[in-house]
């Protein structure tokens, strides 16, 4: 009897995931009928309407209150609504990702995408060595590995698959065609990244995700646990670490930035300090978010507070 009930539960869960996935795919297919700009603007307006009606909106409000206690409720709500809009844009931009990246180094500033730090891309491509690029969930962060591939710089990217297995498969196949080698975030993924660095290649990592077993750090002056993977890899391979981010500009345009390699703190033995480096990563992402707070995904439970509200 228990096995029968388990099978029913698993069937219903599978059916739910399939239904949600088909609805999402149908929505994205419908967006293809519209011009890119119109589709992205529509998704922005739609999510500004849907987002505040979800449970995640309350979590977003709590996150913003903890991060910006000096701001008024009206200011924080404005950021929250804009963040929902940017989330809608991120989804819609998946449909047009190939068309969005139109950067031409011979005509900078003329296309939809501009790139700052082209010399860094070219140096890493033309002088192969192990390196790590890190970013956060700001604007359309998916464009960064696309830009790298466009310059002939293929980076092995660590990513967290969506919980829905049907969506996860679709997203994985879509990313794989445009971003090079992908490593799903699970047990053993650190070994895949280490092998890439050992072979003299580069890896890309998102560093602003919740990680319950991470090292104790602070983010917006609130305690948070941070994945020490990047710091440990940097210590093991003594490789350069580059910050990179995407910024949304008016008119459905983007600026991609890769900054010079950062200097990582070291302990008394001269080794890279894992805890201190993890804090440096948080500080960098925080500086980005403070500059454009509406472009970060505030619905993430970064501070692990969902069960406390």
């Amino acid at each position: 009897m228990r096995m029968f009930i388990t099978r029913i539960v698993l069937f219903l869960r599978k059916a739910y995931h399939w239904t949600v996935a088909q609805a999402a795919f149908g929505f994205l297919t419908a967006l293809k009928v519209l011009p890119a700009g119109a589709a992205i603007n529509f998704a922005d307006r739609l999510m500004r309407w849907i987002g505040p009606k979800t449970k995640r909106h309350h979590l977003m409000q709590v996150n913003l209150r903890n991060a910006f206690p000096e701001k008024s409720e009206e200011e924080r709500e404005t950021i929250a609504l804009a963040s929902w809009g940017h989330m809608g844009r991120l989804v819609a931009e998946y449909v047009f990702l190939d068309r969005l990246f139109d950067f031409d180094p011979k005509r900078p500033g003329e296309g939809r995408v501009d790139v700052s730090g082209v010399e860094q891309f070219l140096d890493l491509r033309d002088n192969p060595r192990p390196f790590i690029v890190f970013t956060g969930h700001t604007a359309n962060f998916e464009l960064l590995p696309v830009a790298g591939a466009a310059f002939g710089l293929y980076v092995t990217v660590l990513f967290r698959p969506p919980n829905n297995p049907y969506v996860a498969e679709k997203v994985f196949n879509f990313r794989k065609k445009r971003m090079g080698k992908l490593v799903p975030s699970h047990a053993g993924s650190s070994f895949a990244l280490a092998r890439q660095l050992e072979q003299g290649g580069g890896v890309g990592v998102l560093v602003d995700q919740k990680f319950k077993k991470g090292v104790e750090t602070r983010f917006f002056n609130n305690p948070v646990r941070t994945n020490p993977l990047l710091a440990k890899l940097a210590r093991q391979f003594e490789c350069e670490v580059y910050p990179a981010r995407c910024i949304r500009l008016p008119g459905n345009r983007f600026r991609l930035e890769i900054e010079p390699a950062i200097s990582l703190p070291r302990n008394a033995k001269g080794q890279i300090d894992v805890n201190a480096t993890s804090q440096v990563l948080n500080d960098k992402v925080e500086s980005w978010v403070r500059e454009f707070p509406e472009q970060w995904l505030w619905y993430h439970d970064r501070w692990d507070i969902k069960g406390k509200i």
Side-chain angles (χ1 to χ4, degrees), residues 3 17 36 117 130 146 166 174 181 200 227 233 257 262 278 293 304:
M3 184 175 294
H17 284 315
V146 173
Y166 300 99
F174 181 87
K181 188 175 181 180
N227 192 333
L233 289 173
E257 297 181 347
I262 60 175
S278 299
D304 197 21

Side-chain angles (χ1 to χ4, degrees), residues 74-109:
E74 292 76 16
E75 289 175 313
R76 291 193 290 265
E77 187 63 14
T78 297
I79 294 173
L81 289 174
S83 181
W84 282 117
H86 280 279
M87 200 180 312
R89 288 175 176 272
L90 179 62
V91 172
E93 286 158 1
Y94 257 100
V95 177
F96 306 100
L97 203 57
D98 290 332
R99 282 180 266 172
L100 289 180
F101 190 82
D102 61 356
F103 176 72
D104 184 349
K106 298 179 180 179
R107 298 163 55 191

Side-chain angles (χ1 to χ4, degrees), residues 150-170:
F151 282 98
L153 178 64
Y154 294 95
V155 178
T156 297
V157 179
L158 178 69
F159 79 102
R160 182 183 181 278
N163 293 329
N164 187 308
Y166 300 99
V167 174
E169 182 180 7
K170 193 85 168 183

Side-chain angles (χ1 to χ4, degrees), residues 29-278:
T29 300
L31 287 180
K32 292 182 180 180
V33 178
L34 301 173
I40 293 169
N41 291 337
F42 170 75
D44 182 309
R45 292 192 296 271
L46 181 64
M47 282 306 298
R48 285 174 186 258
W49 179 73
I50 294 176
K53 297 175 173 57
T54 66
K55 293 181 180 179
R56 285 280 176 169
H57 189 67
H58 181 50
L59 174 62
M60 186 181 286
Q61 290 174 318
V62 174
N63 284 340
L64 283 164
R65 192 178 305 125
N66 289 338
F68 297 113
E70 74 283 1
K71 293 185 181 295
S72 66
E73 285 291 337
E74 292 76 16
E75 289 175 313
R76 291 193 290 265
E77 187 63 14
T78 297
I79 294 173
L81 289 174
S83 181
W84 282 117
H86 280 279
M87 200 180 312
R89 288 175 176 272
L90 179 62
V91 172
E93 286 158 1
Y94 257 100
V95 177
F96 306 100
L97 203 57
D98 290 332
R99 282 180 266 172
L100 289 180
F101 190 82
D102 61 356
F103 176 72
D104 184 349
K106 298 179 180 179
R107 298 163 55 191
E110 295 186 19
R112 189 184 294 272
V113 176
D114 198 13
V115 178
S116 175
V118 173
E119 63 282 354
Q120 297 286 2
F121 279 104
L122 299 180
D123 176 56
L124 291 171
R125 183 195 67 186
D126 298 337
N127 301 285
R129 59 192 183 273
F131 67 90
I132 302 174
V133 176
F134 74 89
T135 190
H137 289 85
T138 59
N140 193 330
F141 49 91
E142 303 279 6
L143 280 172
L144 290 167
V146 173
F151 282 98
L153 178 64
Y154 294 95
V155 178
T156 297
V157 179
L158 178 69
F159 79 102
R160 182 183 181 278
N163 293 329
N164 187 308
Y166 300 99
V167 174
E169 182 180 7
K170 193 85 168 183
V171 169
F172 179 81
N173 291 333
F174 181 87
R175 285 170 164 169
K176 189 175 181 180
K177 293 178 182 178
R178 296 156 179 83
M179 302 178 186
K181 188 175 181 180
L182 299 172
V183 176
S185 179
H186 54 62
S189 58
S190 59
F191 296 106
L193 298 182
R195 282 195 298 271
Q196 179 70 10
L197 292 171
E198 191 174 31
Q199 294 168 5
V203 303
V205 183
L206 281 158
V207 297
D208 58 346
Q209 295 170 305
K210 181 175 69 174
F211 193 73
K212 291 184 178 181
K213 296 181 180 180
V215 298
E216 295 182 3
T217 54
R218 300 190 75 79
F219 189 55
F220 281 89
N221 204 35
N222 288 285
V224 67
R225 291 190 174 274
T226 298
N227 192 333
L229 176 60
L230 185 153
K232 289 183 176 180
L233 289 173
R235 182 172 66 179
Q236 180 180 352
F237 293 96
E238 284 291 336
C239 57
E240 297 170 330
V241 175
Y242 295 86
R245 64 168 169 168
C246 176
I247 301 171
R248 276 201 176 89
L249 303 174
N252 291 324
R253 298 183 64 250
F254 307 86
R255 182 167 69 250
L256 306 180
E257 297 181 347
I258 180 168
E259 302 177 17
I262 60 175
S263 178
L264 301 180
R266 296 178 179 269
N267 58 26
K269 297 181 180 179
Q271 299 174 318
I272 290 175
D273 187 312
V274 171
N275 287 45
T277 294
S278 299

